[in-house]
Each structure stands twice: as structure tokens, then as C-alpha cells.
Amino acid sequence: MKTTLFFLFAFLFGLAAAGQKSGLFQPGERWPDNNGVHINAHGGGILFYDGKYYWFGEHKTEGKRGNQAWVGVHCYSSENLYDWKDEGVAFAVSENPESPVTAGCIIERPKVIYNAKTGKFVMWFHLELKGQGYKAAQTGVAVADKPTGPYNFIKALNPNAGVWPVNYAGELKSKKFPENLKEWSDDWIQAVKEGMIVHRDFQKGQMARDMTLYIDEDGKAYHIHASEENLTLHISELTDDYTDFTGKYIRVLPTGHNEAPAVFKRNGKYYMFTSGCTGWAPNAARLLVSDSMMGNWEYIGNPCIGDDKDLTFHSQSTYVLPVQDKKDAYIFMADRWNPENAIDGRYIWLPIQFNEKGNPYLAWKNEWDLSVFDK
Ligand code: DGJ
């Protein structure tokens, strides 16, 4: 009897310690992979290819330096979205100190898309050069023949050098902005709205920090990133092979201070979740809508309801995952960062719900499964 009880308690304790249970999403719990190790794919995104989901994200390490890239981008695969197999490091940082992706740089928010024309898997990520904090604001691209990698680094850049956004008024292109405007003064805000930072970065290329990718139904891919010192989002068209920028881009909500973009499309409308800019600390999510990717994005409001709605349930958006073979099934993926011990950051996955106007919203759930999409 004693032995049976011992094993029963050991089993129950084991379950509790292991974290998220199989067949359920438990937002904020530890999420063990096939080896029982908490998934290490932060700021991630998901590729669906040939019957499998591939989750790519920042491989974090322990302690305070854990947000720097010492390893690279980690990949996991799954057929059911609950159970994830460790596929190892898909993109590895370089040992060469001269490389832009040398160990100790910052690699954030990697996203992978498949290019049907070239048969290649293309990864883009936010890159900050080693020892320069968040100054470089570049985006990097790497390519692979298999979804799990290895991804070979091609280049990193500040995009759209020498080109104006397509939604930028002609007369502003020759505008001379006053120097030394006081940050956050009314005149400064007005100047940023009118593209002062686009002018500043015109020759070198625009800043590209938090990012995501989106492939539209016509196969065109878009790179969506926080630009202009995180004050304005830019949406840029990628070339047909997805490895470069065409030079066609728009500014979205100038001075709106949005980061953490995550895009999806439903019933012909494009939605984007973003956050405000408060470092690793959570803030209220924002929801934007547009009739096309390069169209007029409008702010609708905070998509969260209930307790902690103003902190996005203590998380920050990273991706919207359309669930295969289910109608209107989209998962909001977010990160609950842990800057003190980055590797222990948690994942907040919630089903996106739709109100009577058809607008998406998010409500907290302690646990849920994919059957919510069958109701
Ligand atoms: C918020 C961003 O969304 C993260 O990806 C990261 O860049 C942190 N800021 C750094 O403070």
C-alpha cells in the first residue's frame, strides 16, 4: 500500500513539475519538449510545411546575459501543436568575431517562410551587432534547403536605403527639418510624423527592429518591422525569392510607438496585433486593421478583455498561427519574458475569438485545447 501511494504521489508530483500537460495548452506553464526540457524558442513564429508545424525562436540562455545570442535560433516540430520534438539549432551564431552574427550579438523574433518557386526556406530575424546595444537595428536573412536547417547566413541590412515609402507625400521628400528639436516636444512629434527619421536614415537604410513576416494569398511576402526608433511600423514587400527587399514599403501609424507585430487575415481583412514599447515589461496590446497589406492601417483598440487586459495577460505578441484544417482557427502567440533568467520565459498561447462585429479579441484561459475551434 505504502509503495503504491509513494508511486502515485511521485507520478502526480512529476506531472506538476513537468508543466504543460499533453493535449492541452496551459499558457504560462513550463512547456516540456520530447526530452522533458522547457521549449527554448522565444519571440518565435511557426511554419507549416508538408503536414508538420515548425516552431522557430530565440534560443535563450540562463542568467542576465541570456537575451544575447550565444547559440542561435532553435527549431521544434509538431503534428498536433501540443507535443514538440526538439529539432536542434536551425541557425547557429558564428564563431568568427568579424561576422555580424557572431556569438554575443542579439538575434530576435526569427520567422521562417517557404518559397514555393525556389524550394528554399527563408529565415528573417532582427539583428543587433555585438557590443552595440540596440543601435544597429538591422534585419538578417538566412536560407536553408530543409525546414529544420541548417540556415546559411546571407546578409544583414538596414532596408529600403535610398527609397521613399509609397505612402509618403511628395512635398515632404524635400522638407528640411529643424535640428536639435527637443525629444517628445510637440514640434519633435510633428517632425517625426512628417518623416524626420526616414530622412535621417534615407541613405543608410531604415531601422528594422521587432519583426514578423506574412505571405499573402498571391504568394507575395511582406516584412513588417518596428522602424524610426520604434516610433513607426514599416511594411516592406520582399522580392519573389523572399531574400531581399523590393524597395516598396509603407509607413504605418507614424509616432504610434508599436512593436511586436503579428499579422493574420480573415474574411478579406488584415489584422495586426502589436504592443507598446516598454522593454521586456508587458503593456496593453493594440489591434490594427486594414483592407490590404500595403493599405491604410487603422487602430481599433486593445483586443484583450478581462483581468490583466492592460498587460496583455503579462505577455507580448510574437505571431498569429492559423490552425490547419479548421475554420476561423487562429492562435495568438505571445511571450512572457523573464529578463532575469531569459531561458525561463514562458509562452502565452490563446485562441483568437471574434465578436459580433467580426473583430478579433483575446480572453485569458488557464487551459484549453483545439476543440474550442469546433464550437
Ligand atoms: C521589446 C521587444 O519586443 C523585444 O523583442 C526585445 O527587443 C525587448 N524589447 C528588448 O528590451
Side-chain angles (χ1 to χ4, degrees), residues 58 108-109 126 134 210 259-260 279-280 316 337:
E58 303 156 26
E108 289 181 343
R109 299 181 177 270
H126 166 200
Y134 279 80
D210 279 12
E259 57 180 12
W280 299 112
Q316 189 184 29
W337 305 113

Side-chain angles (χ1 to χ4, degrees), residues 46-93:
I46 291 190
L47 163 79
F48 182 78
Y49 178 76
D50 201 13
K52 265 193 199 169
Y53 296 93
Y54 294 88
W55 178 352
F56 299 87
E58 303 156 26
H59 180 113
K60 306 273 196 188
T61 52
E62 283 185 13
K64 293 210 179 206
R65 294 196 323 158
N67 278 317
Q68 281 154 264
W70 300 104
V71 176
V73 175
H74 211 117
C75 175
Y76 297 82
S77 68
S78 172
E79 281 170 30
N80 63 11
L81 293 175
Y82 306 112
D83 304 307
W84 291 89
K85 175 174 174 239
D86 184 358
E87 298 281 2
V89 177
F91 175 66
V93 293

Side-chain angles (χ1 to χ4, degrees), residues 173-362:
K173 293 178 189 165
S174 51
K175 183 160 173 119
K176 293 277 166 276
F177 292 94
E179 275 169 31
N180 305 323
L181 287 176
K182 195 170 172 289
E183 275 192 19
W184 299 111
S185 65
D186 290 351
D187 288 347
W188 182 87
I189 291 174
Q190 185 57 25
V192 173
K193 261 199 186 111
E194 292 182 349
M196 180 171 70
I197 302 175
V198 178
H199 277 249
R200 185 196 71 188
D201 294 341
F202 188 75
Q203 297 302 339
K204 160 170 144 308
Q206 301 296 319
M207 298 177 89
R209 291 206 183 112
D210 279 12
M211 60 146 291
T212 192
L213 301 175
Y214 181 77
I215 305 186
D216 210 340
E217 276 149 317
D218 60 3
K220 264 203 191 318
Y222 298 88
H223 188 295
I224 299 114
H225 55 266
S227 192
E228 302 179 37
E229 305 288 354
N230 285 354
L231 287 158
T232 302
L233 290 165
H234 287 185
I235 301 184
S236 300
E237 194 184 72
L238 292 178
T239 52
D240 281 354
D241 67 359
Y242 301 165
T243 66
D244 215 336
F245 287 75
T246 63
K248 184 174 172 194
Y249 73 111
I250 59 165
R251 301 174 76 212
V252 174
L253 303 186
T255 71
H257 230 168
N258 286 283
E259 57 180 12
V263 174
F264 73 106
K265 183 178 186 180
R266 177 180 181 254
N267 293 346
K269 282 206 182 303
Y270 297 74
Y271 296 96
M272 189 183 335
F273 292 106
T274 68
S275 74
C277 302
T278 50
W280 299 112
N283 55 56
R286 293 111 180 253
L287 177 65
L288 278 50
V289 66
S290 172
D291 289 331
S292 67
M293 274 307 284
M294 296 300 242
N296 188 23
W297 288 85
E298 221 183 289
Y299 168 69
I300 312 185
N302 179 351
C304 299
I305 59 166
D307 286 353
D308 292 331
K309 72 177 172 49
D310 291 331
L311 293 176
T312 319
F313 315 115
H314 301 270
S315 72
Q316 189 184 29
S317 45
T318 183
Y319 197 70
V320 173
L321 168 61
V323 181
Q324 297 300 309
D325 303 325
K326 287 190 189 274
K327 194 174 174 298
D328 276 346
Y330 303 90
I331 298 176
F332 171 81
M333 290 171 55
D335 293 279
R336 186 172 285 175
W337 305 113
N338 182 346
E340 297 304 312
N341 187 20
I343 196 171
D344 196 29
R346 304 297 172 90
Y347 308 104
I348 305 300
W349 285 26
L350 291 169
I352 299 179
Q353 305 182 62
F354 297 92
N355 64 21
E356 61 294 342
K357 283 196 200 150
N359 285 337
Y361 70 93
L362 300 164

